[in-house]
Amino acid sequence: MAPISEGGSGGLGIPEDGASMLEQNFRRPQNANEGYGDDNDDLANIEKATAWHSIFNFTTQRDLGVITSATVLTIVSGGFKPTLAIFLGRILDELVVFGAGTTTKAQLLKNVSMWCSALTGLGAVTWLLNGGFFALWLLFGELQAKHARDQILMDMIDKEMPWYDSHAEGISSLLTRIQTQVRELQMATSQTLGFFIEDLSVAVVATGIALYYSWKLTLVILLSLPILALGTHLAGRNLKAAVEGQKVHLTQSSKCAVAAVVNIDIVKAYNAQDQEAAQFQIAVEEAGGFYLAQARATALMMGFTRFMTVLMFVQGFWYGLILVRQGVRAGTIVTTFYSILFGVQSAESLIPQWIILKKGMSAGETLKHYVRQIKRGKKTTDLGGSAKPSKCSGDVRISNITFSYPSNPGCPVLCDVSLCFPSGRTTFVIGTSGSGKSTLGDLLMRYYSPSSGDISIDGEPIQTLDVEWLRNNITLVQQSSILFNETLFQNIAFGHRHDSTVSRDAMNIAFQTALLQQTIDDLPDGLNTMVGRGENSMSGGQRQRISIARARLRDSPILILDEATCSLDPISRTLIMDKIRKWRIGKTTIIITHDISQIPEDDFVYVLDNGKIGQQGYRGKLEEDCSGLFVSFLSCTSDVDDKKGASAAIYSFPDLPMLLAGSYNVVDTKSPDGKTIIQSTALDGLHHPRGASVALTSGVLMDDRAWKTPTGSLDHFTTPSTTKKAHPRMLASGLECSTYKSGDILERCSMNDSKLHSITVEREPRGRKLMAVRRAHDKLGSYKVVENVINDDHFGAIKPDEARMEDCIDYNEDVIFGDINNCFRMTPSSKQEIGHRVNVSIIRILGTVWSALLWYDRIVLVFGFFAAFVSAAATPAFSYVFARLLNTYYTPSNQSVEARKWATQILIIAVVDGLSTFYFHWFLEYCGQRWVDSLRIQAMKRILSQPKSWFDKEINSPGTISHALDRDAEEMRNVLGRFAGYIFVATSMMVVAIIWSFVGCWKLTLVGLASTPVIFVCAQLFERVTAKWESKSNVEAEKVAGIFSETVLNIRVVHALTLGRYFEDKHKTATLEAYKVGKRRAVYSGFFFGLSDSTRLFLTALVLYYGAVLVGSGAWSVDSILQVIALLLFSSSNAAAAMAYIPQISISKAAATQILHLAHLSATDSHELSGSQHLTHPFPIRLQNLSFTYASRPRAPVLEKLTLSFDTGSFTAIVGPSGSGKSTIAALLLGLYPPDGTPATSPPPLTFNGPSISTLCTSSLRSTIATVPQTPTLMPGTISENITYGLAKASPLRRTPAIESAARAAGIHHFVASLPAGYATRVGDGGQRLSGGQTQRIAIARALLRRPRLLILDEATSALDAESAAGVRAALRTLRRQRPDMALVAITHCVDMMRLAETVVVLERGRVVQQGPFVELIDRVGGPLRKLIWGARD
């Protein structure tokens, strides 16, 4: 653990640079495009702006009734409590009068009975008042949370993209912070605010009563209040800075956690678990330092307050004695003392509540700051005018546009660009990665406004058009297709302007265009299957097809396809593009692509180069210009020789020839003898291949199985439709198609040639597959069907082949709770859910504290509880001495001596109580923070050690994990730091008081104890009810947070599809449901709180009455009875104060259950941790009859009896249609998933250099492998940190020459060098935005830097332009010459990459159907490879 910082202001451990960190936390807008950076209101100023009104920032007029009623009931309830002093004074007066012999026993019992009856009535009234105000304050807190969430989401939905780009900490961590702030605001505005007002009213009324009975004595007692106020102010003067500092570092820790979980494939492949855990630990411990500063200040305030309040009674007693001698009744003095005592106790309770309120004020101001900031910026509704033309022809003109992204205003992406996209025509835009192609789509969608220049639609300036009208008439389909957490039907229906009225025919057309039939058939509930994250997640190709179907349903006049088919195999891409061409006849279509094979000769092409128009014209003309840029792209599409490749990019390390010779690897792994083995780390951004096998079906209408269980918008689909006549489309050679019949004739038409090339589709001998065996030779790839030859009689006899879905693993686990040491261990066979844990007792939770602390922290913990015991004993000691002091008022003899004696003892008690209170709070808060920090770090490590399948589950989403590590951990700390101490003090206090009371009067003590079971039952009922409804409220809150995050993280798609109102309404529905649950929680909790709190008054009435009975019987003296009454009342009063924390204890207990579950996840059950053997190299790699099935799809194997081998120096290309299992092989080689079977399976299905993968140390294996995924992701950090990600700090590969050499080989060095900060430029979440190609090249550099023994390229050039892709291939050639000991595996659809490989392996449905050199396989007519690429080559 890091030591507690002693620096900073006031000795509270606040770092000197706290203010600067606050200022850096939020990057100021740097571009006029943002429009909201004109003042100095940033997060650093929140501390100054924080005030009482901040917690009411989201209060509406409709809330006034609730808050007014709650305040009135609270004040009335608080006003009743000090009246107990009046009852005590009256009853004690009766006892003293009886002891003096001036009244009879009958009169004593009559008068005491009257007052005790009134006290019982007061208890009944208190029950109703307390229950009412508690319920109303809970309701008010729910309302504030609802308003805050609704308002912030509503405003964020309306924000333009520059606002999202301006957050240095990233949007993911911002969302976590917002949810945390909402929770803190809710906590402050619910029972905490109610208790604060109640205690404040108690203090005021109690002081008023004291002034009424003896204003002189009251003023004398309160003379020390200015000193108390000054002392507490000095102790807490830096409290706000500590709160804000903690908030900053918690945001950073949340960002670390989210990034690691979202990119878990990369983390595991690079062996970067320790690195991520270390970054998380640094942020957590920095936040912990700020919290300890708060805790120390709070403990100092409480200790000083305790000392001063006890000391008050010394000076008050002396003056009270003077007043008694002057003839004032002793009962009056007693009433005054008890009134002041009640007031002081209430004032002490204000301090811990004040801390929560300060956090709530800070949260309210922070949330309001976001709202103000959002409102200052431009909204989507402000981006354009109000023009809504009745028709959109689709003529797009871009004139002299210049634009820079807000995250990097100094680097223009487009410079004085002018383009024209004529109405009704298809226009292509190509260019190198980062040349500004995708930016055109951003500008046309009005995500951003250009710095200069004009854009017009049908002659209308784009800024005059209504934004919603604009986005309804322009559809943008991007490479990274987004699916929402909705049904598949709803995700596609989002494309329709009125998704609730979409027709089945329209849906069928969309399915046909995107070739989605078989994907839908594979889903368990057809169109009503929930997709998105979780069991039914889609692969990249499936997501792109769904996005295309969504666009087809939208059918807007203008369509922008931005690498919209790059994740599809060549045949699927060709067929879908053919369908799109037919659909878009007469409509404006803009296709942004790297694949120039899609461009016909008579289509217009713009070539962008470094943000400028490098060339433009029709493809046929551009090909004639041998010096033009287009020709360079054309030449790069074919195989290049070694000489050309070498000039493009050379992978060499001239500065480190000796250092990098051989296999130099760096990672901390241990050999069996304990020695450190230096090995390299590997890269991975490997995505989970969840897609179905692509079995393209022609234009047949959807099988009714696709429309399973119609609900919602499917209500009008309840009548099954009859199967219509098939409408076939062109099918490339070898393509599976269940709807083609023998004898079907397809005619391919060229726009440039009237000659028709007939293709006969024949049935294979097995009768299952139909293939086109004749090739057509035009370039367009447009096919038409001669439909009159189709025989409908054959249609029904053909059944579609069963496809497979590779969903994420449904890895069901649970947590069982046994003894304290193993109470959070899990078993693999039980359900393992974060959000729904079983209820665990406080004892079991606290049982984990000791083992989580270091030895010196344990010493602090022991001293903390010792101080708590001393503090607990001080209360009954004070009550005893206080009773003896009061007794001197009734004993005239020897008053001065007795008074001096007992006053001195009270002074000693004041010092001891003050010191013990300080150390008790400080030590336990310190240990609580250390406990939570330890568990947070342990939880992070355990999370990162879980198998990949664990992260595939929806319940283990990044948002849920981040929420647990952030908010739940903060709540959990209170279990030890606050509540355990109070419970221990209350228990110790009651034990000491009861023992002491037994000595004084055992009968009265027994009567008091007789009511304990009733009090205990009431407290237990309150605790159980609170815990139950708190759990339900948390579930609803998580649903709300999920919708909030989903909407904001996918805001581009939300804007593009004009879904803002939909998600706003969806969020409001969720918050309303959470509010309804909160209302029920308020009613039940309020009822039992009132009951639990009022039992103290019933106990007091019973004890007082029976005390009078004992005094009247003459068996006990008045002095003894007064001592016992004081002991019991003081102790029960403090115990009742501890009971007030039960609602917060329930919250903290639920949170502790969550974080402890994560911290005690199994560290050994993962297949990744089963082996320990280390290898010097992985070759040969053998896959022998390997099968693999995702657990969620046990009947659909992804790989079946696969046999492959990879040897040293080999280069293997793995090809096949989408969903054939290619990427799954990469995942298995990296050990992300285990192959089917058991470790004892013989022979082992997957071996490396002989041993089975189950016996190998996974981190050691991964250190020999590097991989480049199709969709790479950059971690938050600099470019340099991303390239060297996972390498040890001492690794020579971290040196600048090595980094730059790898970047040159990947073709990214010149771009990075052109950036103002170079390799120190921050990227990833919250950093500079990069294009897909730039991101992919950084990922390639990251892999090349490691000099792996096995390099896996999973569509590693799919986002690259042809020239960059050719450069990468050239680098691979050079790499193979320099590293003959390295093997390459390329998962690809690229023919040039296949040609480069020595061996091509063709997969179909998880099986190897062909294997051999490319030249041999491509010449085999009718062979699988030839069929696979037939439609993709000219």
Side-chain angles (χ1 to χ4, degrees):
M1 296 294 179
I4 304 172
S5 172
E6 298 294 341
S9 305
L12 297 178
I14 301 176
E16 297 285 352
D17 61 345
S20 63
M21 285 187 295
L22 291 173
E23 293 173 358
Q24 294 171 5
N25 179 57
F26 194 90
R27 186 193 332 142
R28 300 300 301 158
Q30 304 175 36
N31 192 309
N33 199 21
E34 301 172 57
Y36 48 80
D38 300 330
D39 59 30
N40 296 320
D41 182 16
D42 56 22
L43 291 183
N45 295 323
I46 290 179
E47 178 188 342
K48 299 178 181 179
T50 300
W52 260 106
H53 62 79
S54 299
I55 60 177
F56 303 109
N57 278 338
F58 295 93
T59 303
T60 65
Q61 290 186 351
R62 294 183 178 181
D63 302 337
L64 293 180
V66 175
I67 190 173
T68 302
S69 302
T71 303
V72 170
L73 287 178
T74 304
I75 293 174
V76 173
S77 176
F80 270 112
K81 288 187 176 181
T83 59
L84 178 60
I86 299 175
F87 290 90
L88 291 174
R90 293 291 188 179
I91 293 172
L92 293 179
D93 239 356
E94 294 293 338
L95 294 175
V96 171
V97 170
F98 176 78
T102 57
T103 186
T104 64
K105 175 182 178 181
Q107 188 64 36
L108 169 67
L109 294 179
K110 177 183 177 183
N111 293 339
V112 171
S113 178
M114 177 187 68
W115 287 108
C116 288
S117 299
L119 189 57
T120 303
L122 178 64
V125 173
T126 302
W127 180 357
L128 297 176
L129 291 174
N130 285 349
F133 91 73
F134 190 85
L136 287 173
W137 283 116
L138 284 180
L139 192 61
F140 182 69
E142 292 286 349
L143 285 170
Q144 300 316 292
K146 180 180 183 299
H147 297 331
R149 288 166 176 148
D150 286 344
Q151 182 175 348
I152 293 174
L153 181 64
M154 179 177 65
D155 291 338
M156 291 182 76
I157 285 177
D158 286 338
K159 285 304 298 178
E160 57 174 330
M161 291 311 303
W163 185 86
Y164 291 91
D165 294 342
S166 68
H167 289 267
E169 73 269 31
I171 294 300
S172 296
S173 55
L174 172 66
L175 293 178
T176 301
R177 183 171 182 178
I178 287 175
Q179 297 302 329
T180 300
Q181 300 303 301
V182 169
R183 182 62 177 176
E184 290 186 354
L185 177 65
Q186 182 178 0
M187 284 287 294
T189 54
S190 54
Q191 66 262 30
T192 300
L193 181 57
F195 288 148
F196 186 86
I197 294 176
E198 183 191 34
D199 288 332
L200 193 62
S201 63
V202 168
V204 171
V205 174
T207 304
I209 293 174
L211 288 170
Y212 174 78
Y213 277 89
S214 179
W215 64 270
K216 293 180 180 180
L217 178 59
T218 303
L219 292 178
V220 169
I221 294 175
L222 297 180
L223 277 176
S224 56
L225 277 182
I227 300 175
L228 175 61
L230 178 62
T232 53
H233 170 72
L234 292 175
R237 67 187 184 277
N238 290 308
L239 201 56
K240 290 187 285 187
V243 171
E244 291 301 321
Q246 182 196 17
K247 197 180 299 182
V248 169
H249 289 289
L250 284 179
T251 299
Q252 182 61 32
S253 68
S254 176
K255 183 176 181 178
C256 292
V258 170
V261 175
V262 168
N263 303 305
I264 190 61
D265 289 353
I266 297 176
V267 173
K268 286 182 173 294
Y270 289 140
N271 288 325
Q273 294 95 323
D274 289 343
Q275 176 179 327
E276 291 297 330
Q279 292 179 352
F280 179 78
Q281 179 174 348
I282 291 172
V284 162
E285 290 183 346
E286 289 287 346
F290 278 100
Y291 179 79
L292 290 178
Q294 301 172 45
R296 191 183 306 172
T298 304
L300 190 59
M301 292 166 63
M302 298 186 73
F304 183 70
T305 301
R306 190 69 175 171
F307 168 73
M308 290 300 299
T309 52
V310 176
L311 195 62
M312 285 179 185
F313 291 95
V314 176
Q315 65 195 39
F317 170 75
W318 282 107
Y319 189 70
L321 188 59
I322 294 173
L323 292 178
V324 169
R325 289 173 178 174
Q326 291 177 355
V328 178
R329 292 177 56 191
T332 300
I333 301 300
V334 170
T335 300
T336 304
F337 269 121
Y338 271 108
S339 296
I340 294 296
L341 185 62
F342 290 150
V344 167
Q345 287 180 336
S346 297
E348 287 180 358
S349 299
L350 293 176
I351 296 176
Q353 293 161 6
W354 176 250
I355 303 302
I356 299 175
L357 287 174
K358 287 298 293 182
K359 289 188 176 183
M361 294 176 200
S362 175
E365 188 59 35
T366 301
L367 293 173
K368 199 64 177 180
H369 166 80
Y370 288 137
V371 171
R372 286 194 298 265
Q373 186 191 66
I374 294 169
K375 291 183 180 297
R376 279 200 303 272
K378 296 178 181 178
K379 298 181 179 180
T380 56
T381 52
D382 300 330
L383 288 175
S386 56
K388 298 180 181 180
S390 58
K391 181 182 178 182
C392 178
S393 299
D395 187 71
V396 180
R397 307 279 173 169
I398 298 176
S399 304
N400 308 115
I401 284 295
T402 298
F403 174 74
S404 301
Y405 283 105
S407 59
N408 191 17
C411 294
V413 180
L414 294 175
C415 301
D416 196 28
V417 171
S418 297
L419 305 98
C420 174
F421 302 103
S423 173
R425 298 295 302 272
T426 297
T427 308
F428 286 82
V429 179
I430 67 172
T432 58
S433 301
S435 59
K437 305 184 299 298
S438 297
T439 302
L440 294 174
D442 290 343
L443 295 176
L444 289 174
M445 295 300 294
R446 291 308 310 272
Y447 290 153
Y448 304 92
S449 297
S451 304
S452 62
D454 299 306
I455 302 176
S456 64
I457 307 293
D458 294 344
E460 293 284 342
I462 198 170
Q463 62 269 22
T464 66
L465 297 174
D466 178 79
V467 174
E468 185 171 348
W469 179 91
L470 177 74
R471 291 173 178 169
N472 277 328
N473 285 276
I474 301 178
T475 300
L476 173 64
V477 181
Q478 294 181 304
Q479 176 180 351
S480 54
S481 303
I482 300 298
L483 298 185
F484 295 100
N485 189 28
E486 301 275 0
T487 64
L488 176 59
F489 173 86
Q490 187 62 52
N491 267 281
I492 298 174
F494 280 145
H496 199 278
R497 292 169 182 79
H498 305 287
D499 58 277
S500 60
T501 61
V502 61
S503 68
R504 182 169 182 172
D505 288 341
M507 271 289 191
N508 278 329
I509 294 173
F511 299 154
Q512 296 166 31
T513 302
L515 305 176
L516 273 175
Q517 175 179 341
Q518 204 149 8
T519 297
I520 297 171
D521 288 343
D522 288 334
L523 295 175
D525 296 317
L527 286 170
N528 289 307
T529 302
M530 296 294 293
V531 294
R533 180 181 175 86
E535 294 182 359
N536 295 307
S537 295
M538 302 283 106
S539 69
Q542 289 171 320
R543 287 172 178 267
Q544 285 193 334
R545 290 201 293 271
I546 292 171
S547 294
I548 292 170
R550 185 189 290 161
R552 180 63 181 90
L553 188 64
R554 198 169 186 82
D555 196 19
S556 58
I558 302 172
L559 173 66
I560 306 172
L561 300 177
D562 187 358
E563 296 289 355
T565 59
C566 66
S567 295
L568 302 178
D569 60 85
I571 298 179
S572 299
R573 186 184 308 136
T574 300
L575 286 176
I576 290 178
M577 286 304 301
D578 287 345
K579 291 175 180 293
I580 290 175
R581 283 183 171 280
K582 182 176 181 181
W583 157 39
R584 298 301 298 177
I585 292 175
K587 299 176 182 178
T588 304
T589 307
I590 303 170
I591 301 178
I592 300 169
T593 183
H594 291 135
D595 183 10
I596 64 174
S597 65
Q598 300 178 14
I599 308 174
E601 291 185 356
D602 59 345
D603 271 352
F604 199 85
V605 181
Y606 287 103
V607 183
L608 291 185
D609 182 34
N610 293 323
K612 297 181 179 180
I613 301 295
Q615 196 176 12
Q616 57 181 305
Y618 294 97
R619 171 172 177 164
K621 296 293 184 182
L622 295 179
E623 288 180 348
E624 297 173 0
D625 184 0
C626 298
S627 61
L629 289 173
F630 185 84
V631 173
S632 66
F633 284 96
L634 186 64
S635 64
C636 291
T637 60
S638 61
D639 195 26
V640 290
D641 58 36
D642 289 347
K643 293 181 180 180
K644 292 182 180 179
S647 65
I650 301 297
Y651 180 78
S652 61
F653 295 89
D655 301 317
L656 301 170
M658 297 177 64
L659 187 61
L660 301 181
S663 266
Y664 192 94
N665 308 312
V666 186
V667 70
D668 293 331
T669 57
K670 301 291 182 181
S671 63
D673 59 1
K675 296 181 180 180
T676 299
I677 297 179
I678 306 250
Q679 298 177 333
S680 70
T681 53
L683 166 150
D684 185 34
L686 190 66
H687 69 277
H688 184 136
R690 302 180 177 88
S693 300
V694 176
L696 298 173
T697 62
S698 77
V700 64
L701 294 178
M702 301 302 300
D703 191 325
D704 284 331
R705 290 176 298 172
W707 306 87
K708 295 178 181 177
T709 319
T711 58
S713 56
L714 292 174
D715 289 344
H716 54 289
F717 292 149
T718 54
T719 304
S721 63
T722 56
T723 304
K724 298 183 180 180
K725 178 180 178 180
H727 187 70
R729 294 289 183 268
M730 187 279 161
L731 195 59
S733 177
L735 183 64
E736 283 192 38
C737 180
S738 62
T739 58
Y740 282 98
K741 312 302 172 296
S742 179
D744 287 355
I745 298 177
L746 300 169
E747 297 179 329
R748 182 173 184 178
C749 305
S750 169
M751 296 177 63
N752 300 320
D753 188 356
S754 59
K755 182 179 178 180
L756 300 181
H757 304 272
S758 297
I759 302 177
T760 302
V761 182
E762 299 177 349
R763 187 183 302 276
E764 285 187 346
R766 289 180 297 166
R768 293 184 60 211
K769 294 185 179 180
L770 302 169
M771 58 184 180
V773 296
R774 292 188 54 192
R775 181 179 180 185
H777 297 283
D778 74 289
K779 296 181 180 180
L780 178 60
S782 175
Y783 297 83
K784 74 176 184 178
V785 182
V786 182
E787 298 183 73
N788 57 359
V789 300
I790 296 179
N791 186 347
D792 288 331
D793 294 337
H794 296 287
F795 181 77
I798 301 175
K799 298 181 180 180
D801 285 340
E802 182 178 341
R804 57 179 63 88
M805 281 288 296
E806 302 169 3
D807 293 331
C808 56
I809 293 179
D810 186 11
Y811 187 63
N812 295 325
E813 298 176 353
D814 202 351
V815 175
I816 58 174
F817 299 94
D819 58 271
I820 289 178
N821 293 330
N822 298 297
C823 63
F824 289 94
R825 285 302 300 263
M826 72 177 186
T827 58
S829 61
S830 54
K831 287 189 177 181
Q832 181 177 330
E833 300 181 0
I834 289 181
H836 307 284
R837 299 266 67 81
V838 299
N839 194 21
V840 184
S841 68
I842 286 288
I843 299 300
R844 285 189 171 180
I845 291 172
L846 292 175
T848 65
V849 174
W850 188 260
S851 60
L853 298 178
L854 300 177
W855 67 268
Y856 49 83
D857 294 331
R858 294 175 182 177
I859 295 175
V860 174
L861 180 65
V862 171
F863 276 106
F865 276 104
F866 175 76
F869 179 79
V870 173
S871 177
T875 297
F878 170 77
S879 63
Y880 173 78
V881 175
F882 184 67
R884 298 306 298 265
L885 271 172
L886 294 180
N887 190 53
T888 60
Y889 292 157
Y890 303 104
T891 55
S893 62
N894 208 19
Q895 269 189 335
S896 298
V897 175
E898 288 294 313
R900 189 179 300 110
K901 169 184 154 184
W902 297 114
T904 302
Q905 292 190 22
I906 279 192
L907 181 60
I908 295 172
I909 291 173
V911 174
V912 172
D913 200 6
L915 289 174
S916 62
T917 299
F918 167 74
Y919 285 111
F920 142 52
H921 285 95
W922 165 238
F923 285 167
L924 290 189
E925 287 281 17
Y926 170 87
C927 291
Q929 184 63 43
R930 293 306 190 207
W931 175 47
V932 167
D933 284 351
S934 174
L935 290 174
R936 266 178 167 155
I937 296 164
Q938 181 180 341
M940 186 63 174
K941 292 179 179 178
R942 291 294 178 88
I943 288 169
L944 295 178
S945 71
Q946 297 307 296
K948 177 62 171 62
S949 56
W950 187 85
F951 296 90
D952 291 337
K953 301 180 69 174
E954 175 66 24
I955 54 176
N956 297 326
S957 66
T960 305
I961 294 174
S962 174
H963 179 276
L965 294 175
D966 185 2
R967 198 197 82 185
D968 286 344
E970 288 296 294
E971 293 284 359
M972 175 188 181
R973 180 186 52 238
N974 294 330
V975 173
L976 176 62
R978 189 172 302 166
F979 308 136
Y982 285 130
I983 293 173
F984 179 79
V985 166
T987 304
S988 301
M989 191 182 300
M990 289 301 299
V991 170
V992 173
I994 289 171
I995 295 173
W996 210 327
S997 298
F998 263 109
V999 175
C1001 179
W1002 63 270
K1003 286 187 176 181
L1004 184 57
T1005 304
L1006 285 177
V1007 170
L1009 289 177
S1011 60
T1012 302
V1014 177
I1015 297 175
F1016 178 78
V1017 169
C1018 292
Q1020 281 294 304
L1021 285 173
F1022 179 40
E1023 193 275 335
R1024 290 180 181 274
V1025 169
T1026 302
K1028 173 185 175 181
W1029 285 99
E1030 179 65 28
S1031 176
K1032 290 185 176 182
S1033 294
N1034 286 339
V1035 170
E1036 295 302 322
E1038 288 174 8
K1039 291 179 182 178
V1040 172
I1043 297 172
F1044 193 108
S1045 299
E1046 179 186 35
T1047 305
V1048 174
L1049 292 176
N1050 301 319
I1051 194 64
R1052 284 175 175 269
V1053 181
V1054 171
H1055 282 171
L1057 299 176
T1058 60
L1059 296 175
R1061 298 290 78 80
Y1062 173 89
F1063 281 101
E1064 186 179 326
D1065 292 342
K1066 182 179 179 181
H1067 184 264
K1068 285 182 177 179
T1069 300
T1071 56
L1072 181 60
E1073 186 60 32
Y1075 172 67
K1076 290 178 180 177
V1077 172
K1079 282 200 300 184
R1080 292 192 289 271
R1081 170 195 172 206
V1083 172
Y1084 290 111
S1085 298
F1087 176 84
F1088 286 100
F1089 171 76
L1091 174 62
S1092 177
D1093 191 65
S1094 62
T1095 53
R1096 181 169 57 95
L1097 293 177
F1098 301 142
L1099 172 62
T1100 301
L1102 176 62
V1103 169
L1104 289 174
Y1105 178 77
Y1106 190 66
V1109 171
L1110 293 176
V1111 169
S1113 66
W1116 303 91
S1117 65
V1118 174
D1119 184 31
S1120 298
I1121 296 301
L1122 288 178
Q1123 291 178 31
V1124 173
I1125 289 175
L1127 285 166
L1128 293 178
L1129 291 185
F1130 271 92
S1131 302
S1132 63
S1133 177
N1134 282 275
M1139 297 277 291
Y1141 288 103
I1142 285 180
Q1144 297 175 40
I1145 292 175
S1146 298
I1147 295 172
S1148 297
K1149 190 176 75 169
T1153 305
Q1154 305 278 45
I1155 193 69
L1156 283 170
H1157 162 66
L1158 292 176
H1160 291 82
L1161 289 170
S1162 174
T1164 59
D1165 289 343
S1166 173
H1167 70 277
E1168 299 177 8
L1169 306 173
S1170 61
S1172 59
Q1173 186 173 352
H1174 295 260
L1175 297 175
T1176 56
H1177 65 84
F1179 304 112
I1181 303 172
R1182 298 284 185 264
L1183 285 72
Q1184 305 176 61
N1185 291 321
L1186 183 146
S1187 297
F1188 177 74
T1189 306
Y1190 288 105
S1192 60
R1193 291 286 179 181
R1195 298 181 180 178
V1198 181
L1199 300 173
E1200 296 185 73
K1201 297 182 179 181
L1202 191 71
T1203 298
L1204 285 175
S1205 64
F1206 307 103
D1207 295 308
T1208 302
S1210 64
F1211 188 172
T1212 305
I1214 302 177
V1215 303
S1218 300
S1220 59
K1222 304 184 300 296
S1223 294
T1224 301
I1225 295 176
L1228 293 173
L1229 291 175
L1230 284 165
L1232 294 178
Y1233 299 94
D1236 290 350
T1238 65
T1241 301
S1242 182
L1246 178 58
T1247 62
F1248 291 82
N1249 196 11
S1252 169
I1253 189 174
S1254 62
T1255 66
L1256 298 178
C1257 173
T1258 304
S1259 62
S1260 173
L1261 173 64
R1262 288 171 179 166
S1263 68
T1264 65
I1265 304 173
T1267 180
V1268 181
Q1270 179 179 357
T1271 309
T1273 305
L1274 299 182
M1275 304 297 288
T1278 65
I1279 293 177
S1280 176
E1281 290 169 347
N1282 269 276
I1283 294 177
T1284 60
Y1285 183 69
L1287 293 175
K1289 290 185 178 180
S1291 171
L1293 298 178
R1294 282 183 170 273
R1295 297 178 184 176
T1296 300
I1299 296 173
E1300 291 182 353
S1301 294
R1304 285 191 181 94
I1308 194 65
H1309 172 71
H1310 293 299
F1311 166 74
V1312 176
S1314 69
L1315 298 174
Y1319 284 89
T1321 302
R1322 298 197 68 82
V1323 293
D1325 192 14
Q1328 179 169 328
R1329 183 181 175 190
L1330 301 180
S1331 70
Q1334 291 164 345
T1335 301
Q1336 199 163 48
R1337 280 184 283 174
I1338 291 176
I1340 293 172
R1342 182 164 52 191
L1344 297 179
L1345 177 65
R1346 279 153 181 76
R1347 300 180 61 81
R1349 297 300 301 273
L1350 174 64
L1351 177 61
I1352 302 174
L1353 306 174
D1354 187 358
E1355 292 290 354
T1357 59
S1358 63
L1360 300 182
D1361 57 86
E1363 184 176 1
S1364 298
V1368 170
R1369 292 194 295 274
L1372 294 179
R1373 292 190 187 89
T1374 305
L1375 181 62
R1376 293 195 66 201
R1377 289 197 301 268
Q1378 293 181 348
R1379 293 285 311 281
D1381 60 338
M1382 184 188 72
L1384 283 86
V1385 175
I1387 298 167
T1388 184
H1389 291 139
C1390 175
V1391 175
D1392 289 321
M1393 189 69 79
M1394 299 179 200
R1395 288 177 173 174
L1396 193 62
E1398 296 174 345
T1399 303
V1400 177
V1401 177
V1402 184
L1403 294 184
E1404 284 185 9
R1405 296 188 174 277
R1407 294 176 179 268
V1408 176
V1409 295
Q1410 194 177 31
Q1411 184 174 354
F1414 175 82
V1415 176
E1416 293 182 9
L1417 300 184
I1418 198 65
D1419 287 339
R1420 296 180 185 176
V1421 177
L1425 180 64
R1426 190 179 180 92
K1427 291 189 291 182
L1428 179 68
I1429 66 174
W1430 200 259
R1433 301 287 290 171
D1434 291 341

